[in-house]
Amino acid sequence: MSIELLDKTRKINRMLLGSPTSAIPMEDISEVTGEVLRSNVVILNAEGIILGEYILADIEMLPELHVLRESIDASLNDRLLNVLSTKENVNLETLGITRDAARRYKSLLAPVEIAGRRLGTLFIYKNAGDREYGIDDIIFGEYMANIIALVLTQETVLEDAEAARRKKVVNAAFHTISLSEAEALLAVYQELEACGKNCGKTAGRGKRERSNPAKTSGEVSESGDGTDGSRMYGASQKNGTGNGKGETGAMEGLLVIGKIADRVGITRSVLVNALRKFESAGILETRSSGMKGTYVKVLIPESYDFLKRFE
């Protein structure tokens, strides 16, 4: 087993070295862990969200770990967080698992932590009839827990670096626009936000034709019907990262630029120029749809927070 363990750890090392700038998927880590230990594997973060899992065909899933699709019960997660060191062949009843279920499994629990900060838990289990987890299994489990901690830290560093880059881009762009251009852009963002709330998630992906506002197709007619006439359709969507930071999703939609400019009280050319400046900075993208209007998609939603200063 020691030679096999060495071979497997080298495999993990090669996987790490082959991904120096991007985080390794948790599914890959759980798969390697499960194959080495011939066990089911669940990787949890500190909030109990399942980051990755690996299930073998001949090992039944532990019900309490998979009762919810993306996370585990909060009370179970609290008990796991109270496990402060690696525990092998744990009596699962102490974690609140039912007696019948606990008797069917052997388990290995390894805290995922770095610099004294608890990041999650590595939960490994197999059938009760299999051999118990031994010292080599414990070593490998702790090794994988350390790898998971490093990957989570790397993801945080990459996310922070990207957030800093986006903030720098937005700051630079705001030094190039005038007050009137900022107010015009704010009106554009408000239109996208309003249409995202009222038009539904199907907006921006369906037919781009006028519709009755009484319908719920995600389209808004260009004139009349009690609307201001500047929105045809649009959407505000979340780009999920699972990182727990509450990142705002991109806004997008088809707008009638001339009507927005008229409402704000500026010329159309001022608004078009402002959009071009933001587009050249990579903050948003635009695409002409002829007589229907201009399609606008916000690529850096944080720019909206800057524009709200001009409300």
mmCIF file of all heavy atoms in Angstrom, residues 122-139:
data_model
loop_
_atom_site.group_PDB
_atom_site.id
_atom_site.type_symbol
_atom_site.label_atom_id
_atom_site.label_comp_id
_atom_site.label_asym_id
_atom_site.label_seq_id
_atom_site.Cartn_x
_atom_site.Cartn_y
_atom_site.Cartn_z
ATOM 1 N N LEU A 122 -13.630 17.129 4.640
ATOM 2 C CA LEU A 122 -13.537 16.028 3.689
ATOM 3 C C LEU A 122 -14.167 14.802 4.352
ATOM 4 O O LEU A 122 -13.679 14.305 5.355
ATOM 5 C CB LEU A 122 -12.079 15.761 3.326
ATOM 6 C CG LEU A 122 -11.802 14.548 2.422
ATOM 7 C CD1 LEU A 122 -12.522 14.679 1.085
ATOM 8 C CD2 LEU A 122 -10.300 14.387 2.203
ATOM 9 N N PHE A 123 -15.286 14.332 3.778
ATOM 10 C CA PHE A 123 -16.047 13.222 4.340
ATOM 11 C C PHE A 123 -15.890 12.011 3.410
ATOM 12 O O PHE A 123 -16.311 12.056 2.264
ATOM 13 C CB PHE A 123 -17.526 13.604 4.472
ATOM 14 C CG PHE A 123 -18.331 12.718 5.383
ATOM 15 C CD1 PHE A 123 -18.942 13.236 6.516
ATOM 16 C CD2 PHE A 123 -18.493 11.367 5.111
ATOM 17 C CE1 PHE A 123 -19.694 12.427 7.359
ATOM 18 C CE2 PHE A 123 -19.230 10.551 5.940
ATOM 19 C CZ PHE A 123 -19.833 11.080 7.072
ATOM 20 N N ILE A 124 -15.279 10.954 3.928
ATOM 21 C CA ILE A 124 -15.008 9.746 3.147
ATOM 22 C C ILE A 124 -15.685 8.567 3.838
ATOM 23 O O ILE A 124 -15.579 8.421 5.064
ATOM 24 C CB ILE A 124 -13.489 9.488 3.045
ATOM 25 C CG1 ILE A 124 -12.783 10.721 2.457
ATOM 26 C CG2 ILE A 124 -13.191 8.258 2.203
ATOM 27 C CD1 ILE A 124 -11.266 10.682 2.598
ATOM 28 N N TYR A 125 -16.384 7.739 3.083
ATOM 29 C CA TYR A 125 -17.038 6.591 3.722
ATOM 30 C C TYR A 125 -17.167 5.418 2.747
ATOM 31 O O TYR A 125 -17.115 5.599 1.520
ATOM 32 C CB TYR A 125 -18.414 6.988 4.265
ATOM 33 C CG TYR A 125 -19.427 7.413 3.217
ATOM 34 C CD1 TYR A 125 -20.365 6.505 2.724
ATOM 35 C CD2 TYR A 125 -19.462 8.708 2.724
ATOM 36 C CE1 TYR A 125 -21.311 6.885 1.788
ATOM 37 C CE2 TYR A 125 -20.389 9.096 1.786
ATOM 38 C CZ TYR A 125 -21.321 8.189 1.308
ATOM 39 O OH TYR A 125 -22.241 8.567 0.357
ATOM 40 N N LYS A 126 -17.317 4.225 3.309
ATOM 41 C CA LYS A 126 -17.466 3.005 2.506
ATOM 42 C C LYS A 126 -18.311 2.003 3.271
ATOM 43 O O LYS A 126 -18.728 2.256 4.414
ATOM 44 C CB LYS A 126 -16.100 2.424 2.168
ATOM 45 C CG LYS A 126 -15.251 2.055 3.379
ATOM 46 C CD LYS A 126 -13.879 1.570 2.927
ATOM 47 C CE LYS A 126 -12.978 1.276 4.116
ATOM 48 N NZ LYS A 126 -11.632 0.825 3.686
ATOM 49 N N ASN A 127 -18.563 0.871 2.657
ATOM 50 C CA ASN A 127 -19.419 -0.139 3.279
ATOM 51 C C ASN A 127 -18.793 -0.692 4.555
ATOM 52 O O ASN A 127 -17.573 -0.844 4.652
ATOM 53 C CB ASN A 127 -19.678 -1.284 2.302
ATOM 54 C CG ASN A 127 -20.511 -0.833 1.115
ATOM 55 O OD1 ASN A 127 -21.403 0.008 1.247
ATOM 56 N ND2 ASN A 127 -20.237 -1.387 -0.053
ATOM 57 N N ALA A 128 -19.633 -1.033 5.510
ATOM 58 C CA ALA A 128 -19.156 -1.553 6.801
ATOM 59 C C ALA A 128 -18.416 -2.872 6.644
ATOM 60 O O ALA A 128 -17.543 -3.194 7.462
ATOM 61 C CB ALA A 128 -20.330 -1.710 7.763
ATOM 62 N N GLY A 129 -18.724 -3.620 5.603
ATOM 63 C CA GLY A 129 -18.066 -4.901 5.405
ATOM 64 C C GLY A 129 -16.661 -4.805 4.859
ATOM 65 O O GLY A 129 -15.913 -5.797 4.857
ATOM 66 N N ASP A 130 -16.250 -3.641 4.392
ATOM 67 C CA ASP A 130 -14.888 -3.455 3.880
ATOM 68 C C ASP A 130 -13.907 -3.309 5.047
ATOM 69 O O ASP A 130 -14.304 -3.072 6.187
ATOM 70 C CB ASP A 130 -14.830 -2.213 2.988
ATOM 71 C CG ASP A 130 -15.689 -2.363 1.738
ATOM 72 O OD1 ASP A 130 -15.958 -3.515 1.349
ATOM 73 O OD2 ASP A 130 -16.104 -1.334 1.169
ATOM 74 N N ARG A 131 -12.629 -3.397 4.715
ATOM 75 C CA ARG A 131 -11.617 -3.260 5.766
ATOM 76 C C ARG A 131 -11.659 -1.854 6.373
ATOM 77 O O ARG A 131 -12.078 -0.889 5.725
ATOM 78 C CB ARG A 131 -10.218 -3.534 5.189
ATOM 79 C CG ARG A 131 -9.756 -2.507 4.180
ATOM 80 C CD ARG A 131 -8.306 -2.707 3.786
ATOM 81 N NE ARG A 131 -7.895 -1.684 2.831
ATOM 82 C CZ ARG A 131 -7.510 -0.463 3.177
ATOM 83 N NH1 ARG A 131 -7.525 -0.097 4.439
ATOM 84 N NH2 ARG A 131 -7.136 0.406 2.253
ATOM 85 N N GLU A 132 -11.187 -1.738 7.594
ATOM 86 C CA GLU A 132 -11.182 -0.439 8.252
ATOM 87 C C GLU A 132 -10.138 0.476 7.621
ATOM 88 O O GLU A 132 -9.183 0.021 6.991
ATOM 89 C CB GLU A 132 -10.889 -0.601 9.751
ATOM 90 C CG GLU A 132 -12.001 -1.301 10.520
ATOM 91 C CD GLU A 132 -11.765 -1.240 12.014
ATOM 92 O OE1 GLU A 132 -10.594 -1.058 12.430
ATOM 93 O OE2 GLU A 132 -12.745 -1.370 12.774
ATOM 94 N N TYR A 133 -10.336 1.776 7.792
ATOM 95 C CA TYR A 133 -9.351 2.746 7.322
ATOM 96 C C TYR A 133 -8.102 2.641 8.189
ATOM 97 O O TYR A 133 -8.175 2.705 9.419
ATOM 98 C CB TYR A 133 -9.909 4.173 7.378
ATOM 99 C CG TYR A 133 -10.997 4.426 6.351
ATOM 100 C CD1 TYR A 133 -12.338 4.524 6.728
ATOM 101 C CD2 TYR A 133 -10.677 4.567 5.007
ATOM 102 C CE1 TYR A 133 -13.332 4.755 5.792
ATOM 103 C CE2 TYR A 133 -11.674 4.801 4.059
ATOM 104 C CZ TYR A 133 -13.000 4.895 4.467
ATOM 105 O OH TYR A 133 -13.975 5.111 3.531
ATOM 106 N N GLY A 134 -6.933 2.497 7.526
ATOM 107 C CA GLY A 134 -5.681 2.347 8.244
ATOM 108 C C GLY A 134 -4.820 3.595 8.177
ATOM 109 O O GLY A 134 -5.261 4.664 7.721
ATOM 110 N N ILE A 135 -3.581 3.469 8.602
ATOM 111 C CA ILE A 135 -2.688 4.619 8.687
ATOM 112 C C ILE A 135 -2.416 5.237 7.324
ATOM 113 O O ILE A 135 -2.351 6.454 7.190
ATOM 114 C CB ILE A 135 -1.354 4.218 9.387
ATOM 115 C CG1 ILE A 135 -0.485 5.446 9.606
ATOM 116 C CG2 ILE A 135 -0.632 3.135 8.599
ATOM 117 C CD1 ILE A 135 -1.062 6.466 10.542
ATOM 118 N N ASP A 136 -2.248 4.382 6.283
ATOM 119 C CA ASP A 136 -2.027 4.922 4.944
ATOM 120 C C ASP A 136 -3.232 5.718 4.460
ATOM 121 O O ASP A 136 -3.092 6.752 3.799
ATOM 122 C CB ASP A 136 -1.726 3.802 3.952
ATOM 123 C CG ASP A 136 -0.306 3.264 4.111
ATOM 124 O OD1 ASP A 136 0.509 3.960 4.752
ATOM 125 O OD2 ASP A 136 -0.017 2.166 3.603
ATOM 126 N N ASP A 137 -4.432 5.237 4.803
ATOM 127 C CA ASP A 137 -5.655 5.952 4.421
ATOM 128 C C ASP A 137 -5.728 7.305 5.130
ATOM 129 O O ASP A 137 -6.132 8.311 4.540
ATOM 130 C CB ASP A 137 -6.883 5.109 4.783
ATOM 131 C CG ASP A 137 -6.880 3.765 4.107
ATOM 132 O OD1 ASP A 137 -6.460 3.693 2.933
ATOM 133 O OD2 ASP A 137 -7.286 2.784 4.743
ATOM 134 N N ILE A 138 -5.339 7.302 6.405
ATOM 135 C CA ILE A 138 -5.359 8.562 7.165
ATOM 136 C C ILE A 138 -4.374 9.554 6.565
ATOM 137 O O ILE A 138 -4.691 10.743 6.391
ATOM 138 C CB ILE A 138 -5.028 8.282 8.645
ATOM 139 C CG1 ILE A 138 -6.098 7.389 9.270
ATOM 140 C CG2 ILE A 138 -4.899 9.590 9.423
ATOM 141 C CD1 ILE A 138 -5.753 6.893 10.657
ATOM 142 N N ILE A 139 -3.178 9.086 6.235
ATOM 143 C CA ILE A 139 -2.168 9.969 5.638
ATOM 144 C C ILE A 139 -2.679 10.559 4.331
ATOM 145 O O ILE A 139 -2.578 11.773 4.084
ATOM 146 C CB ILE A 139 -0.852 9.198 5.396
ATOM 147 C CG1 ILE A 139 -0.208 8.820 6.735
ATOM 148 C CG2 ILE A 139 0.120 10.028 4.569
ATOM 149 C CD1 ILE A 139 0.979 7.885 6.599
#
